[in-house]
Every structure is written in structure tokens, then in C-alpha cells.
Amino acid sequence: MTPRLRFLTAVIALTATLAACRNYLPTNRFLQPRPASQENQSTGDARHKFNHDHHAKILGAQGVVCGDCHRFDAKIDASAPPLATAASAAALYPGGAACHYCHGPSDTRIAAAPSACTTCHSNLIPLMPENHQVAWLRVHGATASADPVACQNCHRDAFCINCHQNRDSILTFMHDRNYLSFHSVDARANPIQCGNCHRIDFCTNCHAHAIK
Amino acid sequence: MTARCRIGILLCVLATMLAAAPVSAIDLRVEPSILGQVRDGDGYFPGPTEVPVELYGDFGLSGLPHATTVDTYFRLQDDFANANNTETDFFTGVLRVPSAPPGLDVQLGRQIVAESPVGLWDADSGQVRVGFGQTPFSLTVFGGQPRYWEPIFSSPSQSQNEQIFGGSLRVAQYTGGALALGYLQQIRQGKELMQQLTLSGTRAFSSLPGVPSLYGNFAFDADHANIDEVRLGVQSSVWKPQLQINFESGYYKPQDNGDVVIQNINRREDAVFQLFSISNELQFRGGAHYALTRTLSSYADLSYQRYEQSKGSYINGYVWSTGLLYLPGGDGLEVVRGEYYGVDSGGGTVNGGKVVYENRVYENILFRAMCNVGYYQKATHQDGTAVAGLVGLGYMFLPGLVAEVNFEGNKNQFYPEDFRFGFFISYSAGYTTSGGIHRDTIGNQWRPWPWAPAQFGPAAWGPAPATWSANPSLPASGWAAPQFASAEEARQASAKTDGTGTDAAGSAPHAGEPP
């Protein structure tokens, strides 16, 4: 068996072993299984950000009255009090459409209303656009240059900097530690890619030392 | 002025602003992380044991008048075994006033300037963006001095005396896309390197099968009268969402220098590329991702590049990778990824394999392991096997507060006698005045990843494999991902959000839609 075949066999065996452990992991009071989170399935966290006092002036100026957002005519079956309470609360809650009417994205957006998703939403995972799902690392540059405002709806500068400027760290990020051994082969295969992150100083600082 | 001075000044400014404003109206965000490592001196620069420690900080203010925000991000690095090793500190910070007056967005500070399709700069700059009511038009003007934090070990060989000026005009906006015209002028050491006229855009066709999305860039250098870049690509789903494909072709020629090698690197538009090539580079690449089952998916990616290294000598480069991604349980708490990768170029060949395992099944314990073995044969008749391995164990003391210990074992030509071992301990915490501990960002978006997370697949596929669509509970990235909630908190969150999730899909914006 060649070394490569041995390695491949080891990889498959390790993968299978690790994956098979899932159902046999011990649990006790120190090793509590992590519950399946419900947080990522809803954008409902935003409803708690709404402040009537903060909106009263602007809504009043726009002629918006309570009934424009809230339904008070919902008929609740009072025979089941807990259910009636929940249903009543749900009926009164206007939903995201009411917020987005002014804050966008919509044609009715008010220019003075903050439009970034992060204005109200702290859980952004359910809001992830569909175009982020496929080849996004390749595509995002074109999107960012065509419409940078779209990025700022959810991301701060730090999100970009964390990848584009975060080099020479004690951490590994894009390249594993062994990349140093064969980076020259990769650089010759696609020299554009190096320049996406590195300046020429990154090359010359080491290679100049070697020449000396 | 050193980075520490700048950070001190900024903190004083922030403290002053905070003190002068109503406390209840301002949200202060503090998210520091500290990481340390003990390791052997690098073999390329022999030395004693190194003890680097890095402090990352992400301080910010929001809730200011006119939706104003202040965001900062910095890293301070010190080697406790070598007190002078502080050259890679960096700092950015930006003040943004997005709506004062309405329709005018002003940003000032050290910030990302990304309006060019051929580059991204972090620059001491100002940006002004004007929206024109309900029209798709949006005008952005920017200018400033780019900042670079390389080199690492010596004085810069490429000048940092550089300025950029430019702007862009968004001329159209679609569902899932936009089209923009741009202008960019780059000056280094007082001499103009280029004046680019650019066109960039993306557009999704939601009515077509597979919802294909086109994207592209075009950049023409008016100074040298040549095309700097053309890039066109498409991403789409085929046969329902199970198979996703991405094809892209590109042309790149940063400067019309013909057969002449420009000796002065400060006169080169892309000094790294022009180390290797005297011509343009043509590139074709494609990739596919196929979900075999709900928990098992495969991917493949291949790219081909061709350029002229010297007169009459052409290089054909190939880079490929293929692998399997397995999510036992389908909940993303356990990830297994196996990958085969390779490179073939004028510099030699590389064949390697990588296995990544990540486990967050337990509420307080995190575990991961990674092994990367690459066999290379270089054109310089060097060959060998380079190994990189890592095993990490983390413990979450509180939601958002994670301590990690990682052990590394590496072997390459710089450490021929033995494996290299090290460990680092990281600790991160975040707090906001309005929300207490900020679980949804700690260790995820702002904190640097200790290593590329298992989900961070090949470049073609971004952070979210197709299987995630059917399972929204999966994390966005990183192992300290958002769902660091205790069982009780999860139950409370579930109760709070009960009945309110219906607007999630309907209100999710597409990138490029009007803000």
C-alpha cells in the first residue's frame, strides 16, 4: 500500500469513527447536551426593540393612528383563557411588515428612518440573503463594489477587516501551517490570488533574508 | 503616533462622548479578546522561544443621534520573549452618520473603501454617500490614504505614501443586484499609477429555473489605455437546490507594461502579480456542490490560469479541491469534513488531504481537531511532506465567555527533526449596555477564528453549504457561534419568539435591495 493510499484509508477510518460517536457520547450533570436552538429560526427578537415613545412624534406627523398597525377587531374565543391570551397578543402584534413599511426595504421607506437590518435585528442568521449560499466568497467582491450599502445593512467594517487585514496572527486563518512549504507552487498557479491580501513586502521580507 | 496612542485618544473621545450624552440613549459595545501562544522560534528566523500575545478589541457606540455609530477594531501584539516585536499592531475606527440630513450618509475615519472592483483598501479616508429619494441612484465620493500593516519583520520596501480618490454611481437596482459606474485614481509617491473607469454589477433572475445570478466587473485604465480587469460569473442551482454550480472567467492585466519588467516596485499597480507575470492572466474556474442527503454533501472546485512568466514562456496553473462535508445529526453541532486538494503549476505540484472535525454537542465543552498533510514536488527538485495538525478544547464559562487550549503539531522542512508543538489560550468577552453579554457576536463575526472553521469550505462555496437552507438552526460560522444559550435561555427565547417567526422569510432582504 502506497503512502497516499494509507493516508486516504486513515482519513476515511477517522471520519467514520468520529461521526459514529455522536450517538454514544456520555451525558451527565457536567456534560449536558446542547439544546437545539430556536433563536436562529425567527426574527422575532426585533419586536422587543420597538419603542412607542420614540416613534410617537414621527408617526403622529405622518398621520398614523393605532389602528393602522394594530388590529383590535380580532374575535378571541374566551373558552380557553391561556390560548385566548396568546391569540390576543398575536393579533395585536402588527408584524414585521408594519416596521418595514417605513424602514424598508420597500418603496414606502421614509428617508429619515434608519434602514440597516441591525437597527432592530440582532439575530441576523434568518436574514441571510439567498445569494450568500453559493460561492459567496467568490461573488461578494462584485456585490460590494456594485452596492456597498447592501453590505452595511448587516455588516460593520470589522467584518471585512477580520479577513482582509488580519494577517501575521498567531492564529491560522486562510492557510494552514504547512502552507509555507509549498506556497511557491500555489503562487505560480494563480499569482492574482496572493495580491488580494498581501503586499510585496510580505514576499520580499523573507526572500530577501534568504538571499542575504 | 503609535497605535497605542491612537487607541488611547480614541478611548478618551469615546468616554467624553459617553459622558456628555444621556446614558440611556447610548449603547456601548465592548468586545475584547486576548490570545496567547508559546512556540519555538521560527526556523526561518532562528531565535529563542516566542511568547506572542494578541489583544483584539472591538469597541463601538450606537444609539447616538441621527443613528450615528462609532466602530473601532484593533489588534495589539506583543512577544513577551522579545519586547520589540510590536510591528503588526493595527487599528481602524470609523464614525458614521447615516442620516443627517436624510439621504446623506457620511463616514469618516480609518475604514474600508471598497468601491473599486479591483481592490479593497483600508484607508484614512472620508466617504460621502447621497441617495436620491425613491430612485435607484446613489452617489458615493471618497478619498484618503490607504494603510498597510505588512511588512512584518522589517521596514517597508513598498512605499506607504499613497492616496486614492474616487467615486461610484449606482445607476440601477434589481431584486438581488445592482449596477454601478465608478472612478478610481491611485497615486503613489506623488505619481499617478492609474485612473480607472469601472463598471460592476450583480443580478439575480428569480423567475428562471435555479434562480441564476450573474455577476461581473470591468475596469479600464484611462492612463495606460488598457483593460485592467474583466470578470464574469454565474451561480445557480440545478435540478432543485441539491446541485449548485458556479462558473467564472476572468482577464487581468494591471498595467500595460508589455515585455518590460518594471524594476521600481512603487511604479507597479500590482507588485505581487508583476513578480510572476509580464502579461495578462486568463482564468477559468468552476465548482459544484451537491447535497447527497440532508446531512452529507460533496463539493468540487477547479480553476485554470494562464499567463506569460517571461517572454515566450507561458505558465498553465491548475488548482483543485474536492471533498465531503458530513453533518451528523443535521444540526451543525458536529461537523466532519474530508478534502483532497492539489496544485499544479510551473512551480511544481502539490497533492494533499485534510480532515477537520468539530464538536459542540455539549453545552459547555467545545472540541475540534484538524490534520492537513501535503506532499509537494517543486520544480527546484525539492520534495517533501508538510504536516499541520491541531487539537483544541474549549470551555464556555458563561454565554459568550470561552477559554480555549489548542495544541499544534507541525512538521515541515523548517522543522525537520521533530514536530512543533504549541498551545494558545484565548478568552473573549463582550458586553453591551442594552443587551448585557453579547452572545451573538462573540467568537463569531468579530473575533478572529483560531483556524478556519469546518464550515468554511473551499473558496467556491462560502460559509454556508446548501444543506443549511433546510436547517436554519445551523451556525453562520466559527465554533463559538450564536446559539451559545443555556437550556433555560433557549426555552425562554423559544417562548418569546413563539408566533413571531412568520415574518422571517418574508422580510429577509436580498443584498442589493434598496435600504
Side-chain angles (χ1 to χ4, degrees), chain B residues 318-340:
Chain B
Y318 300 87
V319 182
W320 65 88
S321 65
T322 182
L324 288 172
L325 179 67
Y326 179 39
L327 307 172
D331 53 9
L333 299 179
E334 196 176 24
V335 177
V336 184
R337 183 157 70 92
E339 179 181 304
Y340 163 70

Short mmCIF file of all heavy atoms in Angstrom, two decimals, chain B residues 318-340:
data_model
loop_
_atom_site.label_atom_id
_atom_site.label_comp_id
_atom_site.label_asym_id
_atom_site.label_seq_id
_atom_site.Cartn_x
_atom_site.Cartn_y
_atom_site.Cartn_z
N TYR B 318 -3.07 25.01 -12.40
CA TYR B 318 -4.32 24.34 -12.03
C TYR B 318 -4.41 24.25 -10.51
O TYR B 318 -3.43 23.89 -9.85
CB TYR B 318 -4.39 22.92 -12.61
CG TYR B 318 -4.30 22.87 -14.12
CD1 TYR B 318 -3.06 22.83 -14.75
CD2 TYR B 318 -5.45 22.86 -14.90
CE1 TYR B 318 -2.97 22.78 -16.13
CE2 TYR B 318 -5.37 22.81 -16.28
CZ TYR B 318 -4.13 22.77 -16.89
OH TYR B 318 -4.05 22.73 -18.26
N VAL B 319 -5.55 24.56 -9.99
CA VAL B 319 -5.79 24.42 -8.55
C VAL B 319 -7.13 23.71 -8.39
O VAL B 319 -8.12 24.12 -9.00
CB VAL B 319 -5.87 25.80 -7.85
CG1 VAL B 319 -6.09 25.63 -6.35
CG2 VAL B 319 -4.61 26.62 -8.12
N TRP B 320 -7.14 22.65 -7.60
CA TRP B 320 -8.39 21.91 -7.45
C TRP B 320 -8.57 21.42 -6.01
O TRP B 320 -7.60 21.32 -5.25
CB TRP B 320 -8.43 20.72 -8.41
CG TRP B 320 -7.39 19.67 -8.14
CD1 TRP B 320 -7.50 18.60 -7.30
CD2 TRP B 320 -6.07 19.60 -8.70
NE1 TRP B 320 -6.33 17.87 -7.30
CE2 TRP B 320 -5.45 18.46 -8.15
CE3 TRP B 320 -5.37 20.38 -9.61
CZ2 TRP B 320 -4.14 18.09 -8.49
CZ3 TRP B 320 -4.06 20.01 -9.95
CH2 TRP B 320 -3.48 18.88 -9.38
N SER B 321 -9.78 21.14 -5.69
CA SER B 321 -10.09 20.53 -4.39
C SER B 321 -11.43 19.83 -4.51
O SER B 321 -12.30 20.24 -5.29
CB SER B 321 -10.14 21.59 -3.28
OG SER B 321 -11.21 22.49 -3.49
N THR B 322 -11.58 18.78 -3.76
CA THR B 322 -12.86 18.08 -3.71
C THR B 322 -12.99 17.44 -2.34
O THR B 322 -11.99 17.06 -1.72
CB THR B 322 -12.98 17.03 -4.84
OG1 THR B 322 -14.25 16.41 -4.77
CG2 THR B 322 -11.89 15.97 -4.71
N GLY B 323 -14.20 17.34 -1.87
CA GLY B 323 -14.34 16.79 -0.53
C GLY B 323 -15.76 16.45 -0.16
O GLY B 323 -16.70 16.63 -0.95
N LEU B 324 -15.88 15.93 1.05
CA LEU B 324 -17.19 15.57 1.60
C LEU B 324 -17.40 16.36 2.88
O LEU B 324 -16.47 16.54 3.69
CB LEU B 324 -17.25 14.07 1.92
CG LEU B 324 -17.32 13.10 0.75
CD1 LEU B 324 -17.17 11.67 1.25
CD2 LEU B 324 -18.65 13.26 0.01
N LEU B 325 -18.60 16.81 3.06
CA LEU B 325 -18.98 17.50 4.29
C LEU B 325 -20.11 16.72 4.95
O LEU B 325 -21.16 16.51 4.35
CB LEU B 325 -19.45 18.92 3.97
CG LEU B 325 -19.91 19.78 5.15
CD1 LEU B 325 -18.73 20.09 6.05
CD2 LEU B 325 -20.54 21.07 4.66
N TYR B 326 -19.87 16.28 6.15
CA TYR B 326 -20.85 15.45 6.86
C TYR B 326 -21.26 16.16 8.13
O TYR B 326 -20.42 16.58 8.92
CB TYR B 326 -20.22 14.09 7.17
CG TYR B 326 -21.11 13.14 7.93
CD1 TYR B 326 -22.47 13.05 7.63
CD2 TYR B 326 -20.60 12.30 8.92
CE1 TYR B 326 -23.29 12.17 8.31
CE2 TYR B 326 -21.41 11.41 9.60
CZ TYR B 326 -22.75 11.36 9.30
OH TYR B 326 -23.57 10.49 9.98
N LEU B 327 -22.55 16.31 8.31
CA LEU B 327 -23.10 16.97 9.50
C LEU B 327 -23.93 15.96 10.26
O LEU B 327 -25.15 15.87 10.07
CB LEU B 327 -23.97 18.16 9.10
CG LEU B 327 -23.34 19.20 8.17
CD1 LEU B 327 -24.37 20.21 7.71
CD2 LEU B 327 -22.19 19.90 8.86
N PRO B 328 -23.30 15.15 11.11
CA PRO B 328 -24.06 14.14 11.86
C PRO B 328 -25.17 14.80 12.67
O PRO B 328 -24.94 15.79 13.35
CB PRO B 328 -23.00 13.52 12.78
CG PRO B 328 -21.71 13.81 12.13
CD PRO B 328 -21.89 15.13 11.45
N GLY B 329 -26.34 14.26 12.57
CA GLY B 329 -27.47 14.83 13.28
C GLY B 329 -28.14 15.97 12.53
O GLY B 329 -29.27 16.32 12.82
N GLY B 330 -27.45 16.55 11.59
CA GLY B 330 -28.04 17.61 10.78
C GLY B 330 -28.26 18.92 11.51
O GLY B 330 -28.89 19.82 10.98
N ASP B 331 -27.75 19.03 12.73
CA ASP B 331 -27.98 20.25 13.50
C ASP B 331 -26.76 21.17 13.53
O ASP B 331 -26.79 22.23 14.16
CB ASP B 331 -28.42 19.92 14.92
CG ASP B 331 -27.45 18.96 15.59
OD1 ASP B 331 -26.37 18.71 15.02
OD2 ASP B 331 -27.78 18.44 16.68
N GLY B 332 -25.68 20.76 12.89
CA GLY B 332 -24.50 21.60 12.83
C GLY B 332 -23.65 21.60 14.08
O GLY B 332 -22.64 22.27 14.14
N LEU B 333 -24.08 20.85 15.09
CA LEU B 333 -23.28 20.81 16.32
C LEU B 333 -22.07 19.90 16.17
O LEU B 333 -21.16 19.94 16.98
CB LEU B 333 -24.15 20.32 17.49
CG LEU B 333 -25.36 21.20 17.81
CD1 LEU B 333 -26.15 20.61 18.98
CD2 LEU B 333 -24.93 22.62 18.13
N GLU B 334 -22.08 19.09 15.14
CA GLU B 334 -20.95 18.21 14.88
C GLU B 334 -20.69 18.25 13.37
O GLU B 334 -21.61 18.08 12.57
CB GLU B 334 -21.26 16.79 15.33
CG GLU B 334 -20.04 15.93 15.44
CD GLU B 334 -20.39 14.55 16.00
OE1 GLU B 334 -21.55 14.13 15.88
OE2 GLU B 334 -19.50 13.90 16.54
N VAL B 335 -19.45 18.47 13.02
CA VAL B 335 -19.09 18.64 11.61
C VAL B 335 -17.87 17.79 11.30
O VAL B 335 -16.89 17.80 12.05
CB VAL B 335 -18.78 20.11 11.29
CG1 VAL B 335 -18.35 20.27 9.84
CG2 VAL B 335 -19.98 20.99 11.58
N VAL B 336 -17.93 17.07 10.22
CA VAL B 336 -16.78 16.31 9.74
C VAL B 336 -16.55 16.70 8.28
O VAL B 336 -17.48 16.70 7.48
CB VAL B 336 -17.02 14.78 9.82
CG1 VAL B 336 -15.76 14.03 9.41
CG2 VAL B 336 -17.47 14.38 11.20
N ARG B 337 -15.33 17.05 7.97
CA ARG B 337 -15.03 17.40 6.59
C ARG B 337 -13.73 16.75 6.15
O ARG B 337 -12.71 16.83 6.86
CB ARG B 337 -14.90 18.92 6.42
CG ARG B 337 -14.66 19.35 4.98
CD ARG B 337 -15.08 20.78 4.76
NE ARG B 337 -14.21 21.74 5.43
CZ ARG B 337 -13.15 22.30 4.86
NH1 ARG B 337 -12.82 21.98 3.64
NH2 ARG B 337 -12.44 23.18 5.53
N GLY B 338 -13.77 16.08 5.04
CA GLY B 338 -12.58 15.49 4.44
C GLY B 338 -12.37 16.08 3.07
O GLY B 338 -13.33 16.25 2.30
N GLU B 339 -11.13 16.41 2.76
CA GLU B 339 -10.89 17.11 1.50
C GLU B 339 -9.58 16.65 0.88
O GLU B 339 -8.59 16.43 1.58
CB GLU B 339 -10.85 18.62 1.75
CG GLU B 339 -10.58 19.46 0.51
CD GLU B 339 -10.53 20.94 0.82
OE1 GLU B 339 -11.52 21.45 1.39
OE2 GLU B 339 -9.50 21.58 0.52
N TYR B 340 -9.61 16.51 -0.44
CA TYR B 340 -8.39 16.28 -1.20
C TYR B 340 -8.14 17.53 -2.02
O TYR B 340 -9.04 18.06 -2.66
CB TYR B 340 -8.56 15.08 -2.12
CG TYR B 340 -7.54 15.01 -3.22
CD1 TYR B 340 -6.20 14.72 -2.93
CD2 TYR B 340 -7.89 15.25 -4.54
CE1 TYR B 340 -5.25 14.68 -3.93
CE2 TYR B 340 -6.94 15.21 -5.56
CZ TYR B 340 -5.62 14.93 -5.24
OH TYR B 340 -4.68 14.91 -6.23
#
